């Protein structure tokens, strides 16, 4: 229904041959020529197309290439809300200023059928538009092109089928048709829970911990059971005919600690699955809605409170902007995304998209778990929603307002520490985790493998659901993607080409995006792209490789250190305001080959080390060829002050770094003099432990030698001397 096509990243073309798609009032030849030229000669943007339909150009490619969805070209000059309003006024188009969108009468509906409906929504941040009547969506440039053609031809509306999207390849068509057949097959073979025998239905409810959810509620939301996998099936109805567009399968598994974990699978794949579960049940007259992170939570809220409730398609990881028009009608939006710190952070981020003044947030805590768990405990969900706090806040707060947040961090210390790395457990021990809103500075000698290491570090987090944006200005995206794919597959795919499609399909599902810049870039352009990506894809981690490429040629007359300090300050502010972790790679100053790098070795280190929350150094002993040649040193950790160093082994076959688990590779004392007290304490403890172990070993060896050395003993009875061992 709301399949977002921003990831296609290509210009629209005019389908002039298929006359059956055109409205009876055809365009004149000059007008067609104008529209074709405007569309084909402008920069590639998101395609205009009608959602839920499949129109294709007659031309078929000999070989179909999939458009790289992860390398979307972000607009170089993002449109502003002022630009949009000025343009609409110049065309005498009335508009309403909504919470996150501007509303205008749809140009894809006949004037007689519009009445007073403002059904075309324009995103204030990106300019992306959606017509709710015809489900046509596209970019701001697409809408401008359509309005220019209408004005030149003196038309009062356009047919929604005039402009078509980028032609799909044969492989893409077949894949889309296969997914649709799979959706229909699973849906037709699944059964409503109300049709199951009572004992079997209760068993399923117990397995999913939804015994308090009534059969009437499950039937109301059209929830079914897919027996072969014992999975709940949540439908996605969309389009003008409210047809079935996709499904989500939810399976439950009980862990050793007697807790239930849920696994999700969507058809079509998650990058295309974009809907608000429960939206067809919302009335046009409803002015309040509860947004949840999971489908089961939406069921619980609806049953317990009677309020309209919808669930996000990807939980707390993302709120696609294409869904914002469907939430414009509500004057009050309550975000109850779960009962942990991660859901609380997502609620604060999503409220910025939805409009702070109408959003309220359910703060997590011991007595405010996720809705389905609160229902199981017998809590009053209506009271919890009424006690939600406004998202809007003043510039100054008191401790009374922060008290619950402080308590939440004390209770959920492990979650507050951030996302843990699975490939680098030693890094978890020092940094404790990857946290939003922080700035990490990473450096290392030239040729030591900085990009290779940081790509694996970021890949580790991305595989755990951290939405990642790569800005690689030193090497191109194809080579970087090849490195990360090799690290993902843990093998050389050039020697196993038959496995390429298997690993590429899995790699494509990761929330990973790339900037298309290469070489020196202006900081403003890069920052606009980062802000656009954070809004569009809810990016949590941005990697900039590297800082030196941010210092463009336009600042030749300015002190390079002043330029660098300015850029670092900009990234620091962006990380804090966007609640996004920024990893900044900086080349070090030239040092002697036999000297280890320090914090002071970072090029222009004063501002970088002060602003950074974490400082990581990839150490390399260039005169050593043994496995302990490289190591990672943490010289600054603002979270809790722990610092240290641990060895890295590079595996060339998979381009990965691994941490050996031998005793000798424990945290060791840093040879160079540390620059802060935290570092002294951390390394002193490690050094003292090592010294104690060495003393014990020496004593044990002396005792062993003493017992093995032969000695002469004189017998007191006989007076004879004997040799004993």
């Amino acid at each position: 229904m709301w399949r977002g096509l921003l990831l296609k990243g290509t210009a629209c073309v005019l389908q002039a041959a298929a006359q059956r798609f055109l409205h009876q009032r055809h365009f004149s030849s000059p007008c067609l020529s104008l529209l074709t030229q405007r569309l084909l000669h402008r920069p590639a943007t998101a395609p205009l197309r009608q959602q839920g339909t499949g129109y294709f150009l007659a031309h078929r490619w000999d070989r179909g290439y999939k458009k790289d969805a992860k390398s979307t070209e972000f607009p170089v000059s993002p449109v502003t809300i002022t630009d949009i309003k000025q343009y609409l006024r110049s065309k005498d188009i009335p508009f309403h200023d909504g919470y996150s969108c501007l509303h205008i009468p749809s140009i894809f509906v006949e004037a007689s059928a519009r009445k007073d409906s403002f059904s075309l929504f324009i995103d204030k941040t990106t300019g992306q538009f959606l017509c709710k009547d015809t489900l046509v969506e596209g970019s701001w440039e697409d809408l401008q092109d359509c309005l220019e053609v209408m004005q030149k031809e003196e038309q009062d509306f356009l047919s929604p089928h005039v402009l078509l999207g980028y032609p799909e390849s044969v492989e893409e068509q077949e894949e889309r048709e296969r997914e649709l057949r799979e959706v229909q097959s699973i849906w037709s073979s699944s059964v409503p829970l109300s049709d199951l025998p009572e004992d079997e239905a209760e068993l399923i409810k117990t397995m999913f911990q939804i015994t308090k959810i009534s059969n009437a509620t499950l039937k109301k939301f059209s929830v079914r059971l897919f027996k072969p996998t014992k999975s709940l099936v949540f439908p996605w109805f969309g389009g003008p005919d409210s047809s079935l567009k996709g499904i989500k399968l939810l399976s439950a598994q009980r862990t050793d600690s007697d807790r239930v974990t849920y696994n999700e699978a969507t058809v079509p794949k998650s990058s295309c699955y974009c809907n608000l579960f429960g939206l067809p049940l919302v009335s046009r007259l409803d002015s309040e809605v509860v947004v949840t992170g999971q489908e089961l939570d939406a069921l619980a809220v609806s049953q317990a409170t009677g309020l309209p409730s919808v669930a996000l398609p990807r939980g707390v990881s993302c709120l696609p902007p294409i869904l914002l028009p469907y939430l414009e009608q509500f004057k009050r939006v309550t975000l109850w995304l779960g009962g942990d710190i991660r859901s609380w952070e997502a609620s604060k981020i999503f409220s910025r998209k939805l409009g702070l003044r109408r959003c309220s947030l359910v703060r997590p805590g011991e007595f405010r778990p996720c809705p389905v768990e609160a229902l199981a405990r017998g809590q009053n969900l209506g009271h919890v929603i009424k006690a939600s706090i406004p998202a809007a806040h003043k510039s100054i707060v008191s401790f009374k307002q922060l008290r619950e947040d402080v308590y939440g961090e004390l209770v959920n210390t492990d979650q507050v520490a951030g996302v843990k790395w699975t490939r680098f457990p030693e890094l978890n021990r020092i940094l404790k985790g990857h946290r939003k809103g922080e700035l990490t500075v990473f450096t290392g000698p030239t040729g030591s493998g900085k990009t290779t290491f940081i790509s694996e570090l970021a890949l580790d987090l991305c595989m755990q659901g951290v939405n990642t944006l790569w800005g690689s200005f030193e090497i191109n995206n194809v080579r970087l993607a090849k490195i990360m794919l090799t690290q993902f597959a843990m093998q050389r795919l050039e020697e196993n080409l038959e496995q390429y499609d298997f690993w590429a399909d899995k790699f494509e599902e990761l929330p990973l995006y790339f900037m298309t810049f290469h070489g020196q870039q202006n900081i403003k352009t890069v920052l606009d792209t980062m802000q656009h990506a954070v809004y569009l894809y809810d990016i949590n981690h941005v990697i900039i490789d590297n800082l030196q490429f941010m210092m463009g040629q336009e600042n030749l007359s300015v002190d390079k250190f002043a330029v660098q300090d300015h850029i670092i300050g900009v990234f620091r502010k962006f990380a804090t305001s966007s609640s996004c972790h920024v990893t900044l790679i900086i080349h070090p100053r030239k040092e002697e080959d036999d000297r280890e790098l320090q914090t002071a070795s970072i090029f222009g280190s004063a501002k970088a080390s002060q602003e950074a929350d974490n400082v990581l150094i990839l150490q390399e002993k260039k005169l050593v060829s043994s496995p302990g040649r490289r190591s990672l040193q943490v010289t600054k950790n603002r979270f809790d002050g722990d610092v240290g160093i641990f060895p890295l082994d590079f595996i060339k076959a998979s381009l990965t770094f691994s941490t050996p688990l031998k005793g000798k590779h424990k945290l060791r004392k840093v040879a160079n003099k540390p620059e802060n007290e935290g570092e002294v304490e951390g390394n002193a403890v490690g050094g003292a432990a090592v010294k104690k172990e060495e003393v014990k070993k020496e004593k044990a060896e002396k005792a062993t030698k003493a017992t093995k050395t032969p000695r002469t003993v004189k017998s007191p009875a006989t007076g004879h001397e004997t040799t004993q061992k």
Side-chain angles (χ1 to χ4, degrees), residues 596-598 617-621 629-631 633 645:
E596 288 190 347
L597 298 180
Q598 302 178 8
I617 302 177
L618 182 61
Q619 300 284 9
E620 181 185 29
K621 299 178 181 178
R629 177 182 176 183
R630 295 182 180 90
S631 58
Q633 181 179 1
I645 186 171

Side-chain angles (χ1 to χ4, degrees), residues 444-560:
T446 302
S448 60
K450 293 190 297 295
T451 301
T452 304
F453 172 77
I454 209 68
S455 65
E456 184 182 9
L457 198 73
L459 176 65
D460 189 346
L461 298 169
C462 189
M463 292 170 62
Q464 300 179 65
V466 177
N467 299 352
T468 304
L469 175 66
W470 252 99
S472 177
F473 306 96
E474 193 166 358
I475 65 174
N476 60 51
N477 287 333
V478 174
R479 186 174 301 175
L480 176 62
K482 177 186 174 183
I483 292 173
M484 299 187 74
L485 181 60
T486 302
Q487 294 172 335
F488 181 71
M490 301 289 286
Q491 60 178 307
R492 295 178 65 88
L493 292 176
E494 54 263 45
E495 299 174 359
N496 302 278
L497 290 178
E498 70 281 356
Q499 299 183 28
Y500 175 78
D501 287 334
F502 171 79
W503 288 109
D505 288 342
K506 288 183 173 295
F507 188 75
E508 190 177 337
E509 293 298 316
L510 296 178
L512 178 63
Y513 306 88
F514 301 92
M515 298 187 206
T516 56
F517 302 127
H518 189 65
Q520 290 187 336
Q521 296 295 330
N522 180 271
I523 180 61
K524 185 179 185 304
T525 303
V526 176
L527 188 65
D528 288 341
T529 301
M530 291 165 55
Q531 291 173 339
H532 186 82
V534 167
Y535 178 84
L536 205 60
Y537 304 113
D538 294 298
I539 297 297
N540 306 131
H541 188 198
V542 178
I543 303 101
I544 300 297
D545 184 16
N546 55 65
L547 176 72
Q548 277 73 8
F549 281 91
M550 296 293 95
M551 301 165 66
Q553 297 294 329
E554 70 276 5
N555 293 313
L556 290 177
S557 60
V558 183
D559 179 23
K560 59 182 179 181

